[in-house]
Amino acid sequence: RRVRGDLETGSAKECLNHHSDKVQTLCWHLAESTTLLSGGYDNTCQVTDCRTKNSKSWTVDGEVEHLIWDVSNPFSFLAGTASGNVVCIDIRQDKPLYTIAAHDNEVSGLSMTKLIPGLLATCSADKTVKVWQISDNKPSCVTSRAFPEAGSLHCLSFCPDYATMLAIGALEGGLLMWDIASNKEFRDAFNHRIEDGS
């Protein structure tokens, strides 16, 4: 269930009951301000037009841990699931574009940067961060890095101004930083994109 609030009164204005269990993650569309993406414990992703309350749903292979809109394609989003997969969905279609067996544990974080098209980073409770090339709907893992001292990894985000800098939130050790440009496999896979995009 999602709740829209009235900021003046501090009360709930409207409830959207499209999910049948707890809602775990939310993400507003990057360009369409009334379009809300949500993921829940009911193994579904929902895209809702908050003006009309119309919603479209997709079932995935586990609880939805994290969602992001694809910064290179306004019609696509990515969902990280509790079973370790990343699912890419085009909202104009009924079935996913692809599914990546990304991690050995839940996918707790997803991040993209508009400065490098096709670049996706994921993190997990399996203590690893993975870097993916997802252009043309043909995903491949470019590189990965384990952070065994950090415990479970909970979230990550690319710096908006420094395209290759990842901030990673960890159970132990707090905040970690990784400049993925220090990795040769990444440089080989994305060199022309770095030159074009940053």
Side-chain angles (χ1 to χ4, degrees):
R1 170 165 120 152
R2 290 160 290 177
V3 179
R4 291 175 61 201
D6 185 326
L7 295 178
E8 290 181 13
T9 64
S11 62
K13 182 176 181 181
E14 189 172 9
C15 290
L16 305 172
N17 294 307
H18 299 297
H19 287 279
S20 62
D21 202 343
K22 295 186 240 15
V23 174
Q24 170 84 349
T25 179
L26 298 166
C27 188
W28 290 102
H29 194 275
L30 301 171
E32 298 293 330
S33 63
T34 61
T35 300
L36 181 63
L37 174 61
S38 60
Y41 282 26
D42 58 1
N43 296 8
T44 68
C45 303
Q46 307 266 351
V47 173
T48 304
D49 183 333
C50 292
R51 293 168 300 187
T52 64
K53 301 186 191 104
N54 290 335
S55 183
K56 186 171 180 179
S57 177
W58 297 263
T59 299
V60 295
D61 63 336
E63 295 172 357
V64 181
E65 297 289 332
H66 195 71
L67 293 165
I68 58 170
W69 288 99
D70 184 335
V71 297
S72 302
N73 181 346
F75 299 107
S76 294
F77 68 86
L78 296 119
T81 72
S83 59
N85 290 335
V86 174
V87 182
C88 181
I89 294 173
D90 184 318
I91 63 174
R92 301 166 296 184
Q93 299 182 24
D94 294 328
K95 295 187 178 181
L97 296 174
Y98 57 83
T99 299
I100 306 169
H103 290 274
D104 295 331
N105 211 319
E106 73 263 16
V107 177
S108 53
L110 301 161
S111 187
M112 297 184 78
T113 173
K114 63 183 178 181
L115 300 175
I116 307 176
L119 172 62
L120 170 70
T122 62
C123 71
S124 172
D126 67 9
K127 306 177 185 180
T128 62
V129 172
K130 294 187 180 182
V131 176
W132 305 86
Q133 161 61 271
I134 62 168
S135 294
D136 303 320
N137 297 327
K138 296 175 183 170
S140 62
C141 185
V142 172
T143 190
S144 65
R145 180 175 172 186
F147 292 88
E149 71 288 349
S152 176
L153 302 179
H154 294 292
C155 55
L156 79 170
S157 181
F158 279 108
C159 175
D161 299 318
Y162 189 84
T164 59
M165 183 60 71
L166 265 177
I168 306 151
L171 177 66
E172 298 180 27
L175 181 63
L176 309 169
M177 304 296 280
W178 180 25
D179 184 352
I180 60 174
S182 64
N183 180 277
K184 183 181 185 310
E185 290 84 3
F186 169 78
R187 291 195 307 272
D188 290 346
F190 285 95
N191 186 47
H192 69 284
R193 287 185 172 79
I194 293 171
E195 291 172 357
D196 292 344
S198 62

